[in-house]
Amino acid sequence: MYRSREHRILAGVCGGLADKMGLPPTLVRILWLLLSLIPGPLWVVYVVMWILVPEEPKGYRTTNAA
């Protein structure tokens, strides 16, 4: 999994998750927002993923397109 360069608003985490799961990035962002309303440290998970998940390499989409 990579953080998305194309589908990013803040760090590309939701865009990367959407690419990995084959879902629209907007849907993943809405689900993430709704889940963040539930008590718990979801924002910490986002920051950790921002730090640990690498950004997709340049040209990744063009070379790996199926």
Side-chain angles (χ1 to χ4, degrees):
M1 182 184 143
Y2 294 111
R3 290 184 293 121
S4 178
R5 287 180 182 268
E6 183 180 341
H7 304 289
R8 76 178 338 156
I9 290 180
L10 184 61
V13 173
C14 289
L17 286 171
D19 289 342
K20 182 74 173 169
M21 294 185 290
L23 297 171
T26 305
L27 177 63
V28 174
R29 287 184 189 108
I30 290 170
L31 291 173
W32 193 278
L33 178 63
L34 291 174
L35 288 173
S36 68
L37 297 175
I38 299 170
L42 193 60
W43 60 273
V44 174
V45 173
Y46 188 91
V47 171
V48 168
M49 289 181 72
W50 187 351
I51 294 168
L52 295 179
V53 175
E55 189 171 51
E56 70 183 9
K58 292 185 181 185
Y60 177 75
R61 296 202 185 274
T62 56
T63 58
N64 292 336

